[in-house]
PDB file of all heavy atoms in Angstrom:
ATOM      1  N   LEU A  81     -73.713-116.467-102.189  1.00 97.00           N
ATOM      2  CA  LEU A  81     -74.975-116.193-102.875  1.00 97.00           C
ATOM      3  C   LEU A  81     -74.716-115.075-103.909  1.00 97.00           C
ATOM      4  O   LEU A  81     -74.421-113.946-103.534  1.00 97.00           O
ATOM      5  CB  LEU A  81     -76.029-115.737-101.890  1.00 97.00           C
ATOM      6  CG  LEU A  81     -77.425-115.458-102.412  1.00 97.00           C
ATOM      7  CD1 LEU A  81     -78.063-116.699-102.951  1.00 97.00           C
ATOM      8  CD2 LEU A  81     -78.266-114.832-101.295  1.00 97.00           C
ATOM      9  N   PRO A  82     -74.770-115.387-105.206  1.00 97.00           N
ATOM     10  CA  PRO A  82     -74.534-114.366-106.236  1.00 97.00           C
ATOM     11  C   PRO A  82     -75.662-113.313-106.208  1.00 97.00           C
ATOM     12  O   PRO A  82     -76.797-113.578-105.870  1.00 97.00           O
ATOM     13  CB  PRO A  82     -74.543-115.161-107.556  1.00 97.00           C
ATOM     14  CG  PRO A  82     -75.224-116.446-107.239  1.00 97.00           C
ATOM     15  CD  PRO A  82     -75.086-116.687-105.780  1.00 97.00           C
ATOM     16  N   ALA A  83     -75.274-112.083-106.527  1.00 97.00           N
ATOM     17  CA  ALA A  83     -76.211-110.965-106.486  1.00 97.00           C
ATOM     18  C   ALA A  83     -77.493-111.224-107.290  1.00 97.00           C
ATOM     19  O   ALA A  83     -78.593-110.801-106.845  1.00 97.00           O
ATOM     20  CB  ALA A  83     -75.544-109.687-106.974  1.00 97.00           C
ATOM     21  N   PHE A  84     -77.380-111.921-108.405  1.00 97.00           N
ATOM     22  CA  PHE A  84     -78.603-112.125-109.224  1.00 97.00           C
ATOM     23  C   PHE A  84     -79.648-112.982-108.478  1.00 97.00           C
ATOM     24  O   PHE A  84     -80.801-112.959-108.826  1.00 97.00           O
ATOM     25  CB  PHE A  84     -78.283-112.763-110.589  1.00 97.00           C
ATOM     26  CG  PHE A  84     -77.734-114.184-110.509  1.00 97.00           C
ATOM     27  CD1 PHE A  84     -78.597-115.256-110.381  1.00 97.00           C
ATOM     28  CD2 PHE A  84     -76.364-114.396-110.623  1.00 97.00           C
ATOM     29  CE1 PHE A  84     -78.098-116.562-110.322  1.00 97.00           C
ATOM     30  CE2 PHE A  84     -75.871-115.678-110.571  1.00 97.00           C
ATOM     31  CZ  PHE A  84     -76.736-116.781-110.393  1.00 97.00           C
ATOM     32  N   ALA A  85     -79.236-113.683-107.428  1.00 98.00           N
ATOM     33  CA  ALA A  85     -80.175-114.535-106.680  1.00 98.00           C
ATOM     34  C   ALA A  85     -80.693-113.852-105.405  1.00 98.00           C
ATOM     35  O   ALA A  85     -81.512-114.428-104.684  1.00 98.00           O
ATOM     36  CB  ALA A  85     -79.468-115.844-106.298  1.00 98.00           C
ATOM     37  N   PHE A  86     -80.260-112.627-105.114  1.00 97.00           N
ATOM     38  CA  PHE A  86     -80.672-111.945-103.855  1.00 97.00           C
ATOM     39  C   PHE A  86     -82.189-111.842-103.717  1.00 97.00           C
ATOM     40  O   PHE A  86     -82.763-112.159-102.684  1.00 97.00           O
ATOM     41  CB  PHE A  86     -80.083-110.537-103.778  1.00 97.00           C
ATOM     42  CG  PHE A  86     -78.636-110.445-103.465  1.00 97.00           C
ATOM     43  CD1 PHE A  86     -77.836-111.579-103.364  1.00 97.00           C
ATOM     44  CD2 PHE A  86     -78.048-109.215-103.274  1.00 97.00           C
ATOM     45  CE1 PHE A  86     -76.460-111.458-103.068  1.00 97.00           C
ATOM     46  CE2 PHE A  86     -76.708-109.085-102.981  1.00 97.00           C
ATOM     47  CZ  PHE A  86     -75.915-110.210-102.893  1.00 97.00           C
ATOM     48  N   LYS A  87     -82.860-111.402-104.775  1.00 98.00           N
ATOM     49  CA  LYS A  87     -84.322-111.192-104.705  1.00 98.00           C
ATOM     50  C   LYS A  87     -85.031-112.518-104.450  1.00 98.00           C
ATOM     51  O   LYS A  87     -85.895-112.599-103.577  1.00 98.00           O
ATOM     52  CB  LYS A  87     -84.835-110.538-105.971  1.00 98.00           C
ATOM     53  CG  LYS A  87     -86.291-110.190-105.899  1.00 98.00           C
ATOM     54  CD  LYS A  87     -86.766-109.412-107.105  1.00 98.00           C
ATOM     55  CE  LYS A  87     -88.229-109.026-106.893  1.00 98.00           C
ATOM     56  NZ  LYS A  87     -89.040-109.185-108.060  1.00 98.00           N
ATOM     57  N   ASP A  88     -84.700-113.550-105.172  1.00 98.00           N
ATOM     58  CA  ASP A  88     -85.358-114.857-105.000  1.00 98.00           C
ATOM     59  C   ASP A  88     -85.082-115.397-103.620  1.00 98.00           C
ATOM     60  O   ASP A  88     -85.981-115.972-102.955  1.00 98.00           O
ATOM     61  CB  ASP A  88     -84.868-115.859-106.042  1.00 98.00           C
ATOM     62  CG  ASP A  88     -85.322-115.543-107.453  1.00 98.00           C
ATOM     63  OD1 ASP A  88     -86.365-114.835-107.607  1.00 98.00           O
ATOM     64  OD2 ASP A  88     -84.680-115.969-108.415  1.00 98.00           O
ATOM     65  N   PHE A  89     -83.855-115.270-103.153  1.00 97.00           N
ATOM     66  CA  PHE A  89     -83.475-115.749-101.810  1.00 97.00           C
ATOM     67  C   PHE A  89     -84.259-114.986-100.736  1.00 97.00           C
ATOM     68  O   PHE A  89     -84.824-115.590 -99.825  1.00 97.00           O
ATOM     69  CB  PHE A  89     -81.957-115.540-101.615  1.00 97.00           C
ATOM     70  CG  PHE A  89     -81.382-116.279-100.452  1.00 97.00           C
ATOM     71  CD1 PHE A  89     -81.005-117.611-100.567  1.00 97.00           C
ATOM     72  CD2 PHE A  89     -81.184-115.655 -99.237  1.00 97.00           C
ATOM     73  CE1 PHE A  89     -80.445-118.305 -99.529  1.00 97.00           C
ATOM     74  CE2 PHE A  89     -80.606-116.315 -98.170  1.00 97.00           C
ATOM     75  CZ  PHE A  89     -80.265-117.659 -98.320  1.00 97.00           C
ATOM     76  N   SER A  90     -84.350-113.685-100.869  1.00 97.00           N
ATOM     77  CA  SER A  90     -85.087-112.837 -99.924  1.00 97.00           C
ATOM     78  C   SER A  90     -86.569-113.209 -99.887  1.00 97.00           C
ATOM     79  O   SER A  90     -87.164-113.314 -98.819  1.00 97.00           O
ATOM     80  CB  SER A  90     -84.884-111.381-100.317  1.00 97.00           C
ATOM     81  OG  SER A  90     -85.642-110.578 -99.447  1.00 97.00           O
ATOM     82  N   GLU A  91     -87.157-113.400-101.042  1.00 98.00           N
ATOM     83  CA  GLU A  91     -88.564-113.757-101.137  1.00 98.00           C
ATOM     84  C   GLU A  91     -88.841-115.112-100.499  1.00 98.00           C
ATOM     85  O   GLU A  91     -89.836-115.309 -99.810  1.00 98.00           O
ATOM     86  CB  GLU A  91     -89.032-113.713-102.570  1.00 98.00           C
ATOM     87  CG  GLU A  91     -89.120-112.296-103.122  1.00 98.00           C
ATOM     88  CD  GLU A  91     -89.369-112.244-104.637  1.00 98.00           C
ATOM     89  OE1 GLU A  91     -89.380-113.299-105.288  1.00 98.00           O
ATOM     90  OE2 GLU A  91     -89.550-111.110-105.148  1.00 98.00           O
ATOM     91  N   ALA A  92     -87.964-116.091-100.730  1.00 98.00           N
ATOM     92  CA  ALA A  92     -88.082-117.410-100.133  1.00 98.00           C
ATOM     93  C   ALA A  92     -87.981-117.315 -98.609  1.00 98.00           C
ATOM     94  O   ALA A  92     -88.755-117.955 -97.886  1.00 98.00           O
ATOM     95  CB  ALA A  92     -87.058-118.362-100.696  1.00 98.00           C
ATOM     96  N   LEU A  93     -87.026-116.537 -98.115  1.00 96.00           N
ATOM     97  CA  LEU A  93     -86.883-116.352 -96.674  1.00 96.00           C
ATOM     98  C   LEU A  93     -88.159-115.728 -96.088  1.00 96.00           C
ATOM     99  O   LEU A  93     -88.658-116.137 -95.033  1.00 96.00           O
ATOM    100  CB  LEU A  93     -85.674-115.487 -96.338  1.00 96.00           C
ATOM    101  CG  LEU A  93     -84.314-116.129 -96.437  1.00 96.00           C
ATOM    102  CD1 LEU A  93     -83.220-115.072 -96.224  1.00 96.00           C
ATOM    103  CD2 LEU A  93     -84.179-117.252 -95.406  1.00 96.00           C
ATOM    104  N   GLU A  94     -88.682-114.729 -96.750  1.00 97.00           N
ATOM    105  CA  GLU A  94     -89.882-114.066 -96.290  1.00 97.00           C
ATOM    106  C   GLU A  94     -91.054-115.045 -96.184  1.00 97.00           C
ATOM    107  O   GLU A  94     -91.812-115.060 -95.220  1.00 97.00           O
ATOM    108  CB  GLU A  94     -90.257-112.878 -97.175  1.00 97.00           C
ATOM    109  CG  GLU A  94     -91.426-112.058 -96.645  1.00 97.00           C
ATOM    110  CD  GLU A  94     -91.172-111.437 -95.297  1.00 97.00           C
ATOM    111  OE1 GLU A  94     -90.039-111.036 -94.999  1.00 97.00           O
ATOM    112  OE2 GLU A  94     -92.130-111.363 -94.501  1.00 97.00           O
ATOM    113  N   ARG A  95     -91.211-115.896 -97.198  1.00 98.00           N
ATOM    114  CA  ARG A  95     -92.284-116.919 -97.159  1.00 98.00           C
ATOM    115  C   ARG A  95     -92.090-117.857 -95.965  1.00 98.00           C
ATOM    116  O   ARG A  95     -93.032-118.222 -95.276  1.00 98.00           O
ATOM    117  CB  ARG A  95     -92.324-117.717 -98.465  1.00 98.00           C
ATOM    118  CG  ARG A  95     -92.885-116.914 -99.629  1.00 98.00           C
ATOM    119  CD  ARG A  95     -93.152-117.808-100.844  1.00 98.00           C
ATOM    120  NE  ARG A  95     -91.954-118.430-101.367  1.00 98.00           N
ATOM    121  CZ  ARG A  95     -91.125-117.879-102.252  1.00 98.00           C
ATOM    122  NH1 ARG A  95     -91.348-116.674-102.717  1.00 98.00           N
ATOM    123  NH2 ARG A  95     -90.083-118.558-102.698  1.00 98.00           N
ATOM    124  N   LEU A  96     -90.843-118.269 -95.743  1.00 98.00           N
ATOM    125  CA  LEU A  96     -90.561-119.151 -94.601  1.00 98.00           C
ATOM    126  C   LEU A  96     -90.795-118.440 -93.272  1.00 98.00           C
ATOM    127  O   LEU A  96     -91.364-119.056 -92.315  1.00 98.00           O
ATOM    128  CB  LEU A  96     -89.144-119.657 -94.685  1.00 98.00           C
ATOM    129  CG  LEU A  96     -88.858-120.674 -95.799  1.00 98.00           C
ATOM    130  CD1 LEU A  96     -87.371-120.917 -95.953  1.00 98.00           C
ATOM    131  CD2 LEU A  96     -89.600-121.966 -95.567  1.00 98.00           C
TER     132      LEU A  96
END
Side-chain angles (χ1 to χ4, degrees):
L81 182 66
F84 67 80
F86 286 5
K87 185 175 184 222
D88 291 337
F89 195 84
S90 176
E91 289 171 354
L93 283 174
E94 186 60 36
R95 288 190 299 273
L96 290 170

